[in-house]
Amino acid sequence: MENNVDNVVALADVCEVLQGKNVDKKKTNDRGEGLPIVVGASDLIQGRFVPKRWCSEKLNYPVFSEEGDIIISVVGTLGKIGINTDGPAILSKHVCALRPKSGVSRQYLMAVVSRLLLDAIPDTTDEVVLGFQSKLDVDVLKTIRFTLPELLVQEWLVSRLTSIATMILACKGKKEDFLSRDGIISVIEQERKEQRAYMRKLSEKLSEIAGMLENLPQDSETLQMIADYRGMYSRLLKIQ
């Protein structure tokens, strides 16, 4: 690791970026036979890989995910992230896996990538309306740049982010919620849903205000402020 405090790296410098291949559905099953397959975003539930399809037949040069890989959906629903806690799995072309190298905190990488993914996700186009699926270019993903301080600093930064979630748990969680994994997950997921609903409502209100201002004397500063906030909420709502 360099001594430069702002050690700026590309994603491909600090982890392996593995994209899967198409898997013939006829070779898969839902009986748990063979290796699990990461089919797509629907397999990433509450931040972890939950398999629904398996494959016990021979495939041509499949791409495998390992336990601990960060999985990202790159087709259809873009940028949904989860951890592979299931063990060896086959990657479909709808997902890619990030495998952090030594000296890289998995939690720090997830936090950074969750934000920077927003700039790599293409805007909605007419192609989507016409029935083509949205795609996230994995080559673009590999070039995402961010600072990678030394490991202890990465872990400290993650601890500060975690403190925000701790405040939410302290405010909204009950004592009994901390007695089970599902209890803590439930509190966090409920808060996440409420925050998304709040941001969506704010975005809609800002759109209404912008519409009302169209017929009034133009205040460029106010319009720019509204546009900036609408853009911010639009990006935040892309986080899956």
Side-chain angles (χ1 to χ4, degrees), residues 6 26 28 49 52 58 62 80 94 99 108-110 126 133 138 140 179 234 240:
D6 293 322
K26 294 178 181 178
T28 71
F49 166 47
K52 300 185 187 72
K58 185 177 180 180
K80 195 171 184 181
H94 286 203
R99 191 170 298 159
Y108 177 77
L109 190 62
M110 289 185 71
D126 291 337
Q133 288 184 302
V138 175
V140 172
L179 299 177
S234 176
Q240 302 294 329

Side-chain angles (χ1 to χ4, degrees), residues 16-184:
E16 291 184 68
V17 183
L18 307 168
Q19 183 168 19
K21 297 181 178 181
N22 288 325
V23 179
D24 186 348
K25 191 172 182 179
K26 294 178 181 178
K27 293 185 176 182
T28 71
N29 68 83
D30 58 3
R31 302 181 298 276
E33 298 174 0
L35 283 177
I37 307 170
V38 193
V39 177
S42 62
D43 294 328
L44 304 177
I45 300 174
Q46 296 182 341
R48 60 184 290 263
F49 166 47
V50 180
K52 300 185 187 72
R53 308 292 301 180
W54 290 260
C55 179
S56 59
E57 298 191 33
K58 185 177 180 180
L59 301 175
N60 291 325
Y61 306 106
V63 180
F64 296 102
S65 169
E66 298 176 358
E67 184 176 4
D69 285 351
I70 301 168
I71 309 295
I72 301 176
S73 60
V74 296
V75 175
T77 299
L78 304 181
K80 195 171 184 181
I81 296 180
I83 291 284
N84 177 0
T85 59
D86 197 73
I90 299 167
L91 294 174
S92 81
K93 200 171 184 178
H94 286 203
V95 295
C96 72
L98 309 183
R99 191 170 298 159
K101 296 181 180 179
S102 176
V104 181
S105 160
R106 181 175 290 102
Q107 291 75 19
Y108 177 77
L109 190 62
M110 289 185 71
V112 170
V113 170
S114 294
R115 166 58 187 92
L116 298 179
L117 263 177
L118 303 182
D119 298 323
I121 293 175
D123 293 329
T124 302
T125 64
D126 291 337
E127 287 185 343
V128 178
V129 177
L130 292 172
F132 293 90
Q133 288 184 302
S134 301
K135 295 183 180 180
L136 197 163
D137 190 332
V138 175
D139 287 332
V140 172
L141 186 64
K142 291 178 181 179
T143 64
I144 287 177
R145 291 171 63 77
F146 54 93
T147 180
L148 187 77
E150 59 191 59
L151 183 58
L152 281 175
V153 176
Q154 295 174 47
E155 293 174 344
W156 173 77
L157 289 169
V158 171
S159 76
R160 303 312 296 157
L161 289 171
T162 303
S163 71
I164 299 172
T166 301
M167 286 188 284
I168 294 171
L169 288 172
C171 179
K172 298 194 174 183
K174 298 177 182 178
K175 184 177 179 180
E176 53 266 30
D177 292 329
F178 292 82
L179 299 177
S180 73
R181 180 193 65 181
D182 290 343
I184 294 178

